[in-house]
Amino acid sequence: MQRLKLLPLVLDHQTFFQSPSTLIPRNIPVSPCLDGREINLIYGPLHAGKTSFLKYVAGLVQGVKIYINFEDSRFKELEPECFQKIEEIVAEVYLKGNENEAGHVYYFLDEIHNVPGWDIWVDRLNREGAGVFVTSSSASCLSQEVSSLFADRARILKLLPFSFKEYLTLKGLRVPRPNFLTPSRCDEMLCLFLKYFENGGFPGVIKDGNSMLSRAYFEEILHKEVISKHNIQDAEGLKKLAVFLISNMASEYSLDTLKRASGIENEDTVRTALDYLEDAFLLYRVPLFNHLSENENKQERKVPCKVYAGDTGFFKTVYPNYPDSLGLRFENLVFLELLRQGKQVSYFRDSRECDFLITEKDSTAVKAAVQVSVYFGNPAVREREVLGLLAAMEEYGLNEGLILTMDDEGVMEVPGGDGEKKRIIVNSVWKWMLE
């Protein structure tokens, strides 16, 4: 691409980046990103707010700030040698006459992984002292490069659709301290939570109050980040697969079931499609922990898994006629919050089941067990959930467990198999999400 063509593109992007907009602080650590010593890699689904996050960070730093969105179709002719031309434009247009700020240059680069050689340029910018922030809507595109070229200088941040705290902030409401609420304020928070739970966390959906936007997002992510990106020939089969999995969120699957649901006959093709859907953040797979510990070769892909949707709003918009399973959607919501908190999650099952085991990162040491129950007031449900949680606690030597409910609270002491008392905390999920 010639420099004369490149110049107006760079200028256009700065105009957009500097335009005023309402920016919501996200619940991820920002301060460590501001010293410029590391390359900041921000990844998450389309429409989760990555560009707005870049604008928010840009408002916290002093210096020359350069923003480029490499998904702009006008950049389709971009080649690696154009990176040098971009630096020349920056030096001529933005640094000339600003010598005092010449040492403080920040590059905010949206979806740059689409350009060959991006990692070499980003590595050089960082080594020369520039602050660098890179976004991607693909989970694998960043991690593949980070592992080799600049793994020791990379800070990776996952940006998901809004949490309940962020939802309240976007609505212009103060985030309360959950243990200091009056009964009427609790009722108000529960009503707000139910709306958030129903429509999901995409900021565009929250702002417009239009839940059907999540259907448009699903279609866009599916076609842009999966079908077009990977040149999928059986697009209809892939869509059937994605819709089936989302309509059966928080459930185990078998490859035979997925083949029948999608019409895709080849088992390896189904496995690859699952990888693509997870890479685009449309769904997540969570392994059975006690099975995984015995079969650590993940490449076999034979470990039982549950599937969770990338946003709870997908359920009623992607397949609106599917019979609702409130309990499974509720479990999906908790999973996404654990993911936002950076937890490493699996689930437990022997003769009973526990929804979530929390382990240390890159470790099999179980630190916590969490059970989810939307109907906890039902005596039969209560017994089942308590016994499932207790089984996991005894299996992994935990003295305390957590049950998240829609609105029940309390503390239970239950005798364990060794005669010792086990402590079970029961908390409403919306209060837990505000902690």
Side-chain angles (χ1 to χ4, degrees):
M1 180 179 288
Q2 295 180 353
R3 189 175 182 277
L4 287 177
K5 287 186 177 180
L6 196 57
L7 176 59
L9 298 189
V10 175
L11 297 179
D12 282 354
H13 284 202
Q14 306 332 299
T15 301
F16 160 78
F17 198 60
Q18 294 165 13
S19 62
S21 59
T22 302
L23 301 174
I24 304 300
R26 302 302 300 267
N27 292 332
I28 58 177
V30 175
S31 297
C33 305
L34 304 180
D35 59 20
R37 287 180 292 185
E38 293 178 304
I39 298 168
N40 298 282
L41 307 172
I42 303 107
Y43 69 100
L46 288 172
H47 302 291
K50 296 187 295 297
T51 301
S52 294
F53 179 74
L54 292 185
K55 294 179 77 170
Y56 175 74
V57 171
L60 301 177
V61 297
Q62 298 296 319
V64 175
K65 307 160 193 178
I66 307 301
Y67 170 78
I68 301 176
N69 180 5
F70 288 91
E71 284 217 308
D72 188 325
S73 60
R74 295 174 295 177
F75 277 112
K76 63 182 180 180
E77 301 174 13
L78 198 68
E79 297 175 348
E81 55 265 27
C82 292
F83 292 138
Q84 182 61 43
K85 296 176 184 177
I86 291 174
E87 289 186 72
E88 292 170 1
I89 290 171
V90 170
E92 181 178 331
V93 177
Y94 296 100
L95 298 183
K96 191 175 182 180
N98 294 286
E99 286 79 7
N100 292 334
E101 293 185 344
H104 302 276
V105 182
Y106 297 87
Y107 284 84
F108 299 90
L109 309 172
D110 256 339
E111 308 291 342
I112 192 177
H113 66 270
N114 293 317
V115 183
W118 72 271
D119 53 318
I120 298 173
W121 184 48
V122 163
D123 179 60
R124 181 165 59 79
L125 289 175
N126 173 255
R127 291 184 183 279
E128 292 176 355
V132 184
F133 295 81
V134 176
T135 73
S136 174
S137 298
S138 168
S140 64
C141 284
L142 294 183
S143 60
Q144 289 172 354
E145 304 297 345
V146 168
S147 62
S148 55
L149 192 58
F150 42 73
D152 59 333
R153 289 175 289 112
R155 182 183 303 276
I156 300 177
L157 303 174
K158 181 180 288 186
L159 201 69
L160 300 179
F162 276 22
S163 66
F164 184 43
K165 283 184 180 179
E166 293 165 336
Y167 169 88
L168 293 176
T169 303
L170 185 58
K171 288 290 187 181
L173 301 171
R174 181 177 60 85
V175 177
R177 297 170 66 184
N179 295 325
F180 296 89
L181 294 173
T182 63
S184 62
R185 185 74 166 135
C186 283
D187 291 342
E188 179 187 358
M189 284 296 109
L190 178 58
C191 288
L192 288 165
F193 167 76
L194 291 174
K195 290 180 181 178
Y196 164 74
F197 174 42
E198 189 77 6
N199 295 327
F202 281 108
V205 174
I206 298 169
K207 286 179 183 178
D208 295 348
N210 180 7
S211 62
M212 289 310 297
L213 265 179
S214 67
R215 171 61 184 246
Y217 293 165
F218 167 80
E219 296 282 356
E220 181 182 354
I221 295 170
L222 185 67
H223 285 277
K224 185 176 182 179
E225 295 297 324
V226 183
I227 294 173
S228 295
K229 181 178 178 179
H230 299 288
N231 193 26
I232 302 297
Q233 299 302 306
D234 185 5
E236 185 62 28
L238 182 77
K239 184 174 181 178
K240 287 180 180 178
L241 177 65
V243 170
F244 176 81
L245 289 167
I246 287 175
S247 62
N248 289 275
M249 62 175 66
S251 301
E252 286 186 342
Y253 64 84
S254 71
L255 288 174
D256 286 340
T257 299
L258 297 186
K259 286 163 63 178
R260 287 194 300 270
S262 65
I264 301 173
E265 297 181 359
N266 186 279
E267 193 169 286
D268 288 337
T269 302
V270 173
R271 287 196 182 97
T272 301
L274 289 170
D275 291 339
Y276 291 159
L277 293 169
E278 188 166 18
D279 187 54
F281 304 98
L282 280 174
L283 58 81
Y284 299 90
R285 286 171 289 184
V286 172
L288 177 64
F289 179 83
N290 43 332
H291 188 100
L292 180 62
S293 62
E294 299 167 4
N295 300 275
E296 294 184 354
N297 184 4
K298 297 181 183 180
Q299 297 301 320
E300 293 181 359
R301 293 289 184 189
K302 294 180 180 178
V303 178
C305 289
K306 281 187 178 182
V307 171
Y308 293 92
D311 185 71
T312 57
F314 284 153
F315 184 86
K316 288 198 170 182
T317 58
V318 170
Y319 199 169
N321 296 323
Y322 195 84
D324 191 4
S325 178
L326 183 62
L328 297 182
R329 280 200 295 132
F330 194 64
E331 184 180 324
N332 203 125
L333 178 87
V334 172
F335 165 74
L336 291 174
E337 184 62 21
L338 291 170
L339 203 62
R340 287 188 196 93
Q341 295 175 7
K343 306 296 187 184
Q344 184 169 281
V345 179
S346 56
Y347 69 101
F348 167 84
R349 187 183 66 231
D350 50 17
S351 59
R352 302 188 182 276
E353 184 172 327
C354 179
D355 295 320
F356 300 112
L357 296 179
I358 312 301
T359 53
E360 296 285 1
K361 189 174 182 180
D362 301 322
S363 168
T364 57
V366 177
K367 306 302 293 183
V370 180
Q371 194 76 295
V372 182
S373 178
V374 71
Y375 302 115
F376 196 63
N378 181 301
V381 172
R382 179 185 291 261
E383 180 181 17
R384 183 189 69 219
E385 303 294 5
V386 168
L387 290 176
L389 178 62
L390 188 61
M393 292 167 62
E394 292 190 330
E395 180 74 18
Y396 301 108
L398 302 174
N399 293 317
E400 184 174 288
L402 174 64
I403 296 179
L404 294 172
T405 71
M406 186 64 81
D407 206 28
D408 292 282
E409 297 176 16
V411 177
M412 306 171 62
E413 287 196 346
V414 182
D418 56 2
E420 294 288 330
K421 291 285 187 181
K422 302 289 185 180
R423 188 168 185 259
I424 296 177
I425 298 171
V426 181
N427 197 4
S428 56
V429 71
W430 62 269
K431 284 189 177 181
W432 172 72
M433 294 181 78
L434 292 177
E435 291 175 352

